[in-house]
Amino acid sequence: ELEANGGQNGYWKIQMIMDEFARRCAAAGAITNAADLELLRSFYDCRQNMTRVLNNFAPVCDRLAALAGKAIHHEALTDEDAKWIENYGVTLAGFHFYRGNSYEAPQDDFPIVTRVFSSPLSSSLLYAGLARPQALYIIIPDGKSWQLYRGAVMTYREFVRPAGELLDDESWRKMATQGQLPPPPPFTRSFYADMGVAELLEKLQPQNRGEHFDYEQWEDLMSAVDFRATAKDVPVLLKAMIQAGKDDEHYGDYVANLAQTIGHLPWEPYQQELLELLASPDSGLAEAATTILADRPAALDVRHLIADFSHQPPWARRYYCVLLSRQPQPTGAVHELLLRALHDPVDGVRWQAAMAIKQAGWKDRESVAALLQTLDDTNQVVACAGVHALIKLGITNAAPKLLVRLKTQLTASNLPPEELERQARVITGHGGNQLAVGVLDVDGLGDSIGVGTAVGNRQPTGLRLPPQPESNWPVELYDLPSVLIKALGDLNYTPAVDVLAHFIGTEYEDGATQALGKLDRASATASLLATAGNRQVDSFIREKMLLTLVSINATNCVRDLIPLLDDTTPIVYSQAPFGKEWRVCDRALLTILGLLDWYQPAPITIMTNQQRREALMQKVRDWAKDNGQMAN
């Protein structure tokens, strides 16, 4: 199983298991128990799989030779040949121990290395290894013309290292990602076209791309830059990133790709230059520099960051918060600075400080108290960030205070959507740009902030519209009440059930329903049932409670809903659904059908067909009489 699903990693894990097994048996002088005997048998069976793989490999080689012969002799390929070639990738993957849908989550585990010779005299080891595959171009005749074909070829490396500097596949792959592999053997120079990083970057410039240049060519060149770049190329790469033209259609991808390449290389000597980019009004450059620096936070000059923090523009202070939150061993000074940043005069910095405390994973009393204080922030989106941080940190003992804050929202006036949207723009902006999902926003809140606060997304609370089961998409809001509701559900605070139920039938209904589904279902169900069955409550609210029972999948309450099949109280809407009156008994029927998964036909058909409704009501009553067993 390890070998089939783990590729080369699985193979080496098997080797490690068997090495340990061999040492144990050698120490004991024999196989001492049934478990070890079973392990040995499993290993033997596993090795037989290798025999089968090798036996299957020979016919593949024969088939490839036959296809090559057809090409040489200008013979046409058959339909069977074409189909076999089409599936050749899957065949080849099988010989590399990849199975099933492994292509959906590809692993960068191709480079491998092994020792082939050791010299006791020189205390050195000879290694042979495979680097990353490279593009292979072949020109062969095709009838009366010549045809250019493109494929891939494995790249071979052979080198000597001191015996004390051992290499395994993992360290070899790390060297590959950092561009530190030894050069190809000399014999490859006759057919190996090597282009330097500077020349590749020159080809990527808009003025040098040519008339027929396309995005696939651009990606190939960027991949070549990433593959060939070494430590000596860092200055060239930095210069190219800084001087990139913003009018280039590939500007964003270009800067991001260069940042990724630099991040793999030893950039530490250029740390000051990268830190200066954080203050750039170009959000793309500032984000790219932060990405590079955050890749190895232990290499950062933390004392410089702390001393320079207050002298930076607002957006740079945000990037500083990100870098400080990534410190593997944060000092007291880092902790103090981020707590102080929660009171920064700039809203965006306060928001970033809350996110940084979450990212750092701080659960100490001082940090939790500081996050709770953000509930009173003048910018409600900053308060939301504080609550989000408490959720992600799993601070369950903060739930009582969050519930108290939510209760005050029941009696207070909600912030006007226009003002909330203005506050959100302050958070999401960097030179007028939308906050991107990246180093500033690792949890992807930017979409919720930017879309959820839009005025057009507000549900009209005064309009009583019937539910549309087949097109009722939830509207996600991002203001303090909605985030507090989510927090109480995520923190599993069951005393909040009754308060959350008050939000059913309001613009926060979707969030409250989701939160109720996460809490103690028995308590939530009891509260919803009590309101749904109370004839003194507004019929529109009673219907909302019935809908919520389905949303939280309260299947244990079906019997309690049976009496509501006789409740003919009309549900009052702003406009009648389908031109006719709708009653509590009708909604109760749909609720029961939903909980029993008896939606046949579709709900809209049940709602409009009186005869069908009566037949289903009788079926449900029969089910209740038959001790919960479905009637035939």
Side-chain angles (χ1 to χ4, degrees), residues 119-449:
S119 172
L121 295 177
S122 61
S123 296
S124 61
L125 299 170
L126 175 65
Y127 282 90
L130 294 177
R132 295 185 186 278
Q134 289 184 287
L136 172 68
Y137 295 89
I138 300 176
I139 301 176
I140 60 175
D142 179 21
K144 296 182 180 180
S145 63
W146 293 85
Q147 184 72 38
L148 174 66
Y149 292 90
R150 180 179 185 271
V153 63
M154 293 183 288
T155 52
Y156 179 70
R157 299 291 191 272
E158 187 177 294
F159 54 96
V160 176
R161 282 173 70 94
E165 299 179 11
L166 298 178
L167 273 180
D168 57 13
D169 286 344
E170 184 176 353
S171 54
W172 177 248
R173 289 178 192 127
K174 185 176 180 181
M175 290 172 62
T177 60
Q178 296 178 351
Q180 298 175 351
L181 295 186
F187 72 83
T188 64
R189 291 174 187 162
S190 63
F191 57 83
Y192 182 75
D194 191 11
M195 189 179 296
V197 168
E199 190 176 353
L200 288 168
L201 291 172
E202 190 65 25
K203 283 183 171 290
L204 281 163
Q205 299 308 307
Q207 65 271 20
N208 299 328
R209 291 176 187 166
E211 182 180 353
H212 301 293
F213 188 87
D214 58 22
Y215 188 69
E216 186 175 346
Q217 290 175 280
W218 184 90
E219 285 186 312
D220 286 344
L221 287 172
M222 286 304 309
S223 296
V225 169
D226 186 54
F227 174 76
R228 297 178 187 179
T230 62
K232 64 181 177 60
D233 296 308
V234 172
V236 176
L237 293 166
L238 269 175
K239 183 178 179 181
M241 188 175 77
I242 294 171
Q243 295 182 351
K246 294 194 70 172
D247 55 345
D248 181 6
E249 60 178 324
H250 300 307
Y251 171 77
D253 290 339
Y254 181 67
V255 169
N257 275 273
L258 289 179
Q260 183 180 12
T261 300
I262 296 170
H264 295 155
L265 301 172
W267 48 258
E268 287 81 357
Y270 309 93
Q271 180 173 160
Q272 185 56 42
E273 191 172 350
L274 288 166
L275 286 172
E276 290 173 0
L277 289 178
L278 303 184
S280 170
D282 182 342
S283 60
L285 271 181
E287 179 98 359
T290 309
T291 301
I292 295 169
L293 294 166
D295 189 57
R296 289 197 291 278
L300 294 174
D301 184 351
V302 175
R303 279 190 283 189
H304 172 79
L305 289 172
I306 294 173
D308 203 39
F309 183 84
S310 60
H311 304 297
Q312 295 298 316
W315 60 85
R317 296 205 294 277
R318 295 182 69 168
Y319 292 118
Y320 273 43
C321 286
V322 171
L323 295 176
L324 291 171
S325 73
R326 305 288 181 90
Q327 289 303 304
Q329 295 179 330
T331 63
V334 171
H335 188 260
E336 181 184 348
L337 185 143
L338 287 180
L339 292 182
R340 192 168 67 247
L342 284 174
H343 303 284
D344 193 279
V346 176
D347 297 9
V349 177
R350 298 198 302 275
W351 186 90
Q352 202 67 56
M355 300 299 290
I357 291 172
K358 184 274 304 180
Q359 185 69 25
W362 293 341
K363 300 183 181 182
D364 59 282
R365 183 178 301 177
E366 191 177 5
S367 298
V368 172
L371 290 173
L372 283 169
Q373 288 177 6
T374 63
L375 291 172
D376 299 319
D377 197 286
T378 54
N379 187 311
Q380 196 172 111
V381 182
V382 175
C384 291
V387 178
H388 174 79
L390 291 167
I391 295 173
K392 291 296 184 179
L393 291 171
I395 311 298
T396 55
N397 59 2
K401 293 184 179 180
L402 299 181
L403 179 59
V404 170
R405 187 69 176 83
L406 182 60
K407 286 180 178 179
T408 63
Q409 293 297 130
L410 288 172
T411 56
S413 299
N414 283 342
L415 199 66
E418 296 84 356
E419 171 59 18
L420 183 60
E421 190 171 21
R422 185 198 67 77
Q423 292 185 0
R425 283 198 301 270
V426 175
I427 301 298
T428 60
H430 177 135
N433 296 325
Q434 175 69 23
L435 182 67
V437 179
V439 292
L440 287 182
D441 188 23
V442 293
D443 291 346
L445 295 182
D447 288 339
S448 297
I449 297 171

Side-chain angles (χ1 to χ4, degrees), residues 110 473 530 620:
F110 194 89
W473 294 94
V620 169

